[in-house]
Amino acid sequence: MKQLKINILSSIIATALLSGACSLDLEPIDEISDNKAFETVEDLEKGMTGVMTEFGSHNIVGMSDWASDDLRYSLANTGQGVQVHNWTYNSSTGDLAGTWNEQATLVDRANRIMAIAARFDQEDKTVQRVIAETKVTRAYGHFNIVRMYCKNYSANDPLGIPYKFESGISSPSRLTQGEVYQNIIADINAAIPELSIMREGNYWITQSTAYALKARVAQYMQDWDMAITAANEAIDLGGYRLATRDEYRDVWDDAIANNVEVIFRLRRENSGIGNYYTRATNGDIFFHPSYDLMNQYTYDDIRGLTFFGLDEKGQDVVTKHDGRPNDKTNVNDVKVFRVSELVLIKAEAYAQKAQLDKVADELNYLRNHRLVSPDALEFTNQQEAIQAVRDERRRELAYEGHRFYDLKRWALGIERLTEDSETTSRTLEAGDYRFVFPVPQSEIFANKNMVQNDGYSN
C-alpha cells in the first residue's frame, strides 16, 4: 500500500505552528507570501496534502469512548480521561478543548487552501478537485463540532455553531442548527461532481467519501431518505464491499484491498487511537473494555475476537487499535468511513420508516460477514427492529467514535454495570446537559459573541 509522502510547503509548515488554534477564527502569520509559496498547481496539491495531515479524528473517537459505557476504568490510570469518563468536565477541560481545536484548525486550513485555489485557473480539473476536497473537509470539521457541542438536531435551535467560509479574525455568532446543517450539505453537494471516483489507498477524499459523510449527516438530521440514497451512492460508486469474517482482522492491520470495507482512512505512522486505552511504551492500562460491551458478542463473532484481548497479566485490554503487526504499538490508520457503517445507517433509516424486511436484509447481510452461522433475523414490529439496529451498531462500531453520540441522538441515558463503575460514575440520565460538551473557555475568550451551552458556566 502506498504510503503518503508528506512534502508540505514552507507556508503550510508555518501555519502548523499557529498559536493555540482553539478558535474557529485563526489568522495566518506566515512570513512567506502565498504568492511565492503557491506558484503552480502542483504546489496547490501539496498544500492540500498538508491539510490532510490535520484531519485528526483521534479526539472524536477518544471522547466518545471515555464518556460512554464501552470502557471500564483501570486502577493503573494516572488521570487519563477521568473527567470525561466521570462526566465532570467543564469549559476548561483540556481534552474537550483539544477536540474543538483539532476540528477548528482543520476548517481553517481548508479555507486557506480554498482561497489560494481561487487564484488559479478555475477551468483546470486539478484546481476544481482541490477546491472540492476543501469543501468536503470544511463540512467534515463543522459537522464534528456541531454534533459534539450542540444538542440533537433541530432546525430552529439557535445554539448551532458559527460556519466559517474563510480564514480570518472575526466574532461570528452561533447560527441556528438548521443553517449549520444546510451549509454542511451545500458544501458536500457542491463538491461531489468535481471529486475523483476512486484514488489509490483510500487516503484521499473521493465522491464515495463525500457521499459517506452526507449519509452520516443525514442520519443526525433524521432525513432517512437522504441517508439511504447517500449510503448507496457511497458504496456503489467505488464498488466497495464488506470484509468477510476471514478478512476482518486485516481491516485493523491495514492489510486489506482498496475496495474492501474501508472507504476513507487517515494514514498514521507515529500516533494512534490505541493510546486512549493502553500506554504504548509500557502497556499501562488506562481503560479496560467494559464487561457490558464484551457481553454483547457471541463466541463465533469475529468482532469480539478482534476488539478484545488479554495482556501478560491476564487483564482485559482493547486490541482493536493495538497496531499493525511488527510495527509500532497502537499505531493504525484511522478508518473514518467504512462500508459497515453505511449498511447500519441504511438499516436504521429503514427501521425508522418501518420497512422491516429491508432492516432484516441489511442486518443479515452484515451479520453473515461477521459470525460463523448467524440466525436469520426477522422482525414483527418497528421497535424490535430499531433495537436490533442499535445493538448491532454498538457491536460493529465500538471504539470508532460513535457510541456516546449515538446514545445522545437516540435520547437514551447511560447506565453502566456495577462491575464497570465500581470507582467511577455510573448513571447519566437521558437528556442530561452533559451529553452536550461545553464550549471551551478559550473559544469564549476569543469570540465575544460566542454563547456557552446550557448547564455550564464560563
Side-chain angles (χ1 to χ4, degrees):
M1 185 110 19
K2 181 184 290 186
Q3 175 180 337
L4 286 180
K5 300 295 185 181
I6 307 302
N7 179 20
I8 307 174
L9 296 173
S10 53
S11 63
I12 295 296
I13 295 174
T15 61
L17 302 177
L18 285 174
S19 63
C22 331
S23 174
L24 282 172
D25 298 301
L26 301 174
E27 181 69 9
I29 57 172
D30 306 357
E31 295 181 358
I32 301 173
S33 73
D34 290 339
N35 289 332
K36 293 183 178 180
F38 294 91
E39 295 180 335
T40 68
V41 173
E42 288 74 19
D43 292 340
L44 188 64
E45 285 201 279
K46 291 176 183 178
M48 189 60 205
T49 300
V51 173
M52 297 299 293
T53 68
E54 295 296 329
F55 249 84
S57 294
H58 288 192
N59 286 351
I60 297 167
V61 175
M63 298 311 103
S64 173
D65 289 348
W66 283 350
S68 75
D69 50 359
D70 284 349
L71 292 176
R72 168 170 44 99
Y73 180 80
S74 169
L75 295 179
N77 188 305
T78 54
Q80 293 81 5
V82 174
Q83 273 188 292
V84 177
H85 189 65
N86 283 337
W87 312 306
T88 57
Y89 34 77
N90 55 49
S91 61
S92 297
T93 299
D95 290 318
L96 296 178
T99 307
W100 179 291
N101 167 57
E102 177 184 79
Q103 298 304 306
T105 300
L106 179 64
V107 168
D108 184 75
R109 303 288 166 80
N111 279 333
R112 293 186 190 190
I113 296 300
M114 192 181 304
I116 293 167
R119 301 201 297 262
F120 287 81
D121 179 5
Q122 299 301 290
E123 299 302 317
D124 186 287
K125 293 299 183 183
T126 300
V127 173
Q128 293 174 350
R129 174 175 55 75
V130 169
I131 292 174
E133 290 170 351
T134 61
K135 287 181 179 179
V136 175
T137 302
R138 182 169 69 188
Y140 177 80
H142 281 105
F143 172 67
N144 285 325
I145 296 175
V146 76
R147 70 167 169 157
M148 297 172 72
Y149 297 89
C150 299
K151 295 179 181 178
N152 283 342
Y153 174 76
S154 172
N156 297 321
D157 187 337
L159 291 183
I161 58 171
Y163 203 91
K164 294 290 293 181
F165 289 99
E166 59 185 21
S167 179
I169 294 176
S170 61
S171 297
S173 299
R174 298 180 70 163
L175 302 176
T176 66
Q177 284 199 45
E179 292 170 314
V180 176
Y181 277 84
Q182 286 172 13
N183 288 331
I184 292 170
I185 294 297
D187 266 347
I188 296 171
N189 286 342
I192 287 172
E194 311 303 335
L195 292 170
S196 303
I197 294 179
M198 288 282 288
R199 296 188 70 181
E200 184 179 354
N202 310 116
Y203 293 115
W204 303 96
I205 296 170
T206 62
Q207 289 186 9
S208 287
T209 307
Y211 275 117
L213 175 58
K214 186 174 181 178
R216 187 183 290 178
V217 174
Q219 179 187 52
Y220 276 72
M221 296 173 68
Q222 298 186 31
D223 188 330
W224 304 118
D225 290 333
M226 184 194 297
I228 293 167
T229 299
N232 282 329
E233 291 285 359
I235 295 170
D236 295 343
L237 276 171
Y240 294 101
R241 66 170 176 84
L242 287 173
T244 65
R245 188 179 187 280
D246 291 339
E247 295 172 320
Y248 195 68
R249 289 183 188 272
D250 289 340
V251 172
W252 309 104
D253 289 341
D254 299 330
I256 207 75
N258 285 352
N259 69 328
V260 178
E261 193 69 47
V262 181
I263 291 174
F264 178 54
R265 73 178 80 190
L266 306 175
R267 183 66 177 174
R268 290 295 177 263
E269 292 293 344
N270 295 302
S271 63
I273 294 172
N275 293 311
Y276 282 98
Y277 323 108
T278 306
R279 195 192 305 274
T281 54
N282 62 7
D284 282 352
I285 301 172
F286 304 143
F287 290 94
H288 303 279
S290 69
Y291 292 116
D292 187 22
L293 178 60
M294 289 191 292
N295 290 340
Q296 303 301 313
Y297 301 87
T298 57
Y299 73 93
D300 63 338
D301 193 326
I302 190 60
R303 295 171 295 192
L305 298 173
T306 302
F307 299 169
F308 316 119
L310 300 174
D311 69 0
E312 294 178 352
K313 299 178 182 178
Q315 302 178 99
D316 297 317
V317 290
V318 176
T319 57
K320 185 171 187 175
H321 307 292
D322 62 356
R324 296 179 280 264
N326 304 314
D327 205 341
K328 297 173 184 176
T329 303
N330 290 348
V331 177
N332 309 74
D333 292 347
V334 181
K335 289 73 177 174
V336 181
F337 294 110
R338 293 198 294 120
V339 175
S340 58
E341 181 195 352
L342 299 174
V343 170
L344 288 163
I345 286 175
K346 289 194 290 179
E348 183 172 347
Y350 288 133
Q352 293 294 336
K353 291 165 63 70
Q355 295 178 315
L356 305 187
D357 288 345
K358 290 185 177 181
V359 179
D361 289 343
E362 298 295 340
L363 294 185
N364 287 329
Y365 171 55
L366 176 59
R367 287 163 55 82
N368 286 335
H369 285 73
R370 302 295 184 252
L371 283 72
V372 175
S373 299
D375 294 331
L377 298 177
E378 295 181 355
F379 303 111
T380 59
N381 61 74
Q382 184 180 29
Q383 191 54 48
E384 182 183 33
I386 289 173
Q387 188 59 53
V389 172
R390 291 175 177 176
D391 291 344
E392 204 64 51
R393 187 173 170 86
R394 185 184 187 188
R395 283 189 286 266
E396 177 67 24
L397 302 179
Y399 309 128
E400 294 183 57
H402 296 283
R403 178 62 175 171
F404 185 73
Y405 317 130
D406 280 348
L407 292 170
K408 168 188 168 183
R409 68 184 179 84
W410 293 333
L412 297 176
I414 296 176
E415 187 72 26
R416 292 172 178 152
L417 298 180
T418 301
E419 54 265 43
D420 284 332
S421 55
E422 293 177 356
T423 60
T424 56
S425 299
R426 181 179 178 187
T427 303
L428 189 66
E429 299 290 344
D432 190 287
Y433 73 91
R434 288 169 292 180
F435 271 107
V436 180
F437 292 141
V439 176
Q441 188 63 54
S442 54
E443 181 70 13
I444 300 293
F445 286 150
N447 181 355
K448 65 181 180 180
N449 291 320
M450 178 59 66
V451 177
Q452 184 57 271
N453 286 325
D454 295 340
Y456 301 102
S457 59
N458 294 335

